[in-house]
Amino acid sequence: MEKTPVSFYIVRFNDCDPLGHLNNGRYIDYFLNAREDHLRDHYGIDLRDWVSKGIVFVVSQHEIRYLRPVLYNDRVAIQSALIGWDEHSLMVEMLLFDADRRQLKAVMWTRFTRIDPRTGKRVAHPEDFMEWINGTLVEGVDAEKGMSARVEVLRG
């Protein structure tokens, strides 16, 4: 199973500020859209199907580092990976690179918390879901050290 899927996107004009830079708020949309694409294309997960089965995750936290500008019409690569989990949540790292994947432009960590859609309260992952977690988890990312330490590692 692919643990670090990548997809490519063109930065659109309406996503940019008047100077032609990708608007800071739009990074979240690009990252989350990429993760949804990765779930569908690499893991066969359709979020509508999950919701119909009562499998619901909500975003409970984002942390973003903007490292280099992303400009109008740039072709970018976005990689996502499951880097951690606990009883109720998943931690996903998303990296935005130039199209050649040589220059890291932004990093986002998102915590997705599993909830019961009927109550809105968080719930534990069922045992059968642990197989997916174990099959996709990327080892060696120490989220406990924080985003700054991770950026240093990524920049090498």
Side-chain angles (χ1 to χ4, degrees):
M1 197 174 319
E2 176 64 45
K3 292 187 176 191
T4 57
V6 177
S7 51
F8 295 87
Y9 303 90
I10 301 292
V11 175
R12 302 294 176 201
F13 179 78
N14 65 322
D15 296 329
C16 295
D17 64 22
L19 299 175
H21 298 96
L22 181 60
N23 181 292
N24 288 3
R26 297 295 290 162
Y27 280 79
I28 294 172
D29 296 329
Y30 277 73
F31 281 129
L32 292 179
N33 287 337
R35 184 60 179 173
E36 182 179 352
D37 292 346
H38 298 164
L39 290 171
R40 183 193 60 240
D41 298 343
H42 296 275
Y43 306 122
I45 295 171
D46 183 319
L47 295 180
R48 289 176 302 184
D49 291 341
W50 269 20
V51 169
S52 71
K53 295 174 184 173
I55 304 170
V56 177
F57 287 86
V58 294
V59 171
S60 54
Q61 182 182 14
H62 286 305
E63 184 175 355
I64 302 176
R65 288 294 166 89
Y66 306 99
L67 305 172
R68 295 197 171 261
V70 176
L71 304 173
Y72 165 65
N73 221 25
D74 279 355
R75 185 168 186 262
V76 297
I78 300 177
Q79 173 183 305
S80 72
L82 178 64
I83 62 166
W85 63 278
D86 63 26
E87 181 183 0
H88 304 102
S89 68
L90 304 174
M91 178 67 82
V92 175
E93 175 178 81
M94 291 161 270
L95 308 175
L96 190 149
F97 295 92
D98 65 332
D100 297 326
R101 297 179 61 196
R102 292 189 188 131
Q103 188 174 75
L104 182 62
K105 295 183 173 270
V107 179
M108 183 167 86
W109 284 356
T110 299
R111 180 168 304 281
F112 294 95
T113 299
R114 188 181 193 120
I115 64 162
D116 180 324
R118 293 167 294 164
T119 66
K121 296 189 186 273
R122 69 183 185 160
V123 294
H125 304 299
E127 202 150 316
D128 62 338
F129 190 70
M130 296 306 298
E131 183 178 323
W132 183 82
I133 288 174
N134 291 325
T136 59
L137 183 67
V138 171
E139 302 288 338
V141 177
D142 190 352
E144 295 297 319
K145 288 186 176 178
M147 174 75 75
S148 294
R150 179 64 175 152
V151 168
E152 284 183 39
V153 168
L154 290 167
R155 284 182 158 172

